[in-house]
Amino acid sequence: KELLFLSFAGMVQKLDQKLPVANEYLLLSGGVREGVVDIDLDELNVYARGTDYDMDFTLLVPALKLHDRNQPVTLDMRHSALCHSWLSLRLFDEGTISKWKDCCTIVDHINGATNYFFSPTKVADWFYDSISIVLSEIQKKPQRGMPKVEKVEKNGTIISIILGVGSSRMLYDIVPVVSFKGWPAVAQSWLMENHFWDGKITEEEVISGFYLVPACSYKGKKDNEWRLSFARSEVQLKKCISSSLMQAYQACKAIIIKLLSRPKAISPYHLRSMMLWACDRLPASYLAQEDYAAHFLLGLIDDLQHCLVNKMCPNYFIPQCNMLEHLSEETVMLHARKLSSVRSDPAEHLRTAIEHVKAANRLTLELQRRGSTTSIPSPQSDGGDTNQPDDRLAKKLQQLVTENPGKSISVFINPDDVTRPHFRIDDKFF
């Protein structure tokens, strides 16, 4: 069995050779809706675990790479809010500019020069159209063993694909990004501070690269503005967080996803930032206590409450950026009151969150049971025995993620042979 979404990227590269030939994709466990990356889009459709999908992942696909610099990367942040930037193609060669002109906004200067700014919205439109062409070709020539494509939707600048793999449904949020080696100049001062990961992992591991993701600020220009993302660094930092604190984070995340979903204000990414700040602030000996998960849960709730009341949540890598600055007083106080109810009886709210997960799992099993007796061959299947679905691929991918917590999982694809994806977990290849 082959992972169809990986084949997509290779096939898209072959359409018009826009994507880098030697590309590296970062695969993250959890979807964009789970707060895996710092993207908060109003256009995201609501999908429910159990009803729409069983497992979810985020795939960062570099449309452009700038990997040849050994100095801090200076971005054009004159027109945008903190943590955001425009991207001029002047940083790239003429061949790259020629390839991507149609995905840029054009600014003509008084001196007659023309500047092409890479547009996140136009790049997302191009990527969605390209994936649609690839899917159409696949459907014309179905191949044996290909997963069933159950849904393909464009959610703002994110492309969401739900695949039926055996009896499992896997959601992939595909994010077109710009990939950089090194570290942005705007976050250089953060490296000068003391951090909880000092001496546990090397600085080279933490600052190996960053991304621009297609999300603008609340007052920014959607066609031009990208958001800085430190997803690769965050994967490395997770290695240094104790299992009990991670348990508390997962529990707190499960509570706030339901409780603080309306109006949209707080995401799991805010919670993760607060957890990283707590790791810097609190003694390592305290955070290493294996039986302190309950203490840590209460601490995370208190920190979140404090952030809401003060309307202040600094970005971990760029502290001068307040991620709650745009919220109204009414919104932060509403969520602060909701959190007060959690703080008064956290066990009850946690039980409710667990029941939601159990209900989703029961629904998944029921749908799988029905599917095993009433399944209809997919137009992309070979029409063979669908009563005995093969879940090996889904299980293999889930196993890769769950058995390698805190590790960077990347995928390499040879566009001339899209049938063979190549996984790298940290520095080991599979």
Side-chain angles (χ1 to χ4, degrees), residues 256-283:
I256 69 167
I257 282 177
K258 293 291 183 184
L259 187 71
L260 306 184
S261 60
R262 296 287 184 274
K264 200 169 184 179
I266 295 294
S267 79
Y269 191 84
H270 294 102
L271 183 65
R272 193 192 317 162
S273 298
M274 285 180 273
M275 177 177 66
L276 293 173
W277 282 119
C279 289
D280 275 355
R281 185 180 75 247
L282 297 170

Side-chain angles (χ1 to χ4, degrees), residues 47 72 80 99 112 130 138 148 157 193 237 242 251-252 271 295 311 314 322 355 371 410-411 419:
Y47 300 149
S80 51
K99 262 188 221 176
S130 299
I138 290 174
K148 176 184 176 183
T157 52
E193 305 293 333
L237 295 184
S242 68
C252 195
L271 183 65
H295 298 73
K311 208 167 81 169
N322 176 14
E355 285 304 316
S410 304
V411 185
T419 64

Side-chain angles (χ1 to χ4, degrees), residues 196 237-246 275-276 279:
F196 72 97
L237 295 184
K238 283 183 184 177
K239 298 176 182 178
C240 306
I241 298 176
S242 68
S243 59
S244 52
L245 179 53
M246 284 303 301
M275 177 177 66
L276 293 173
C279 289

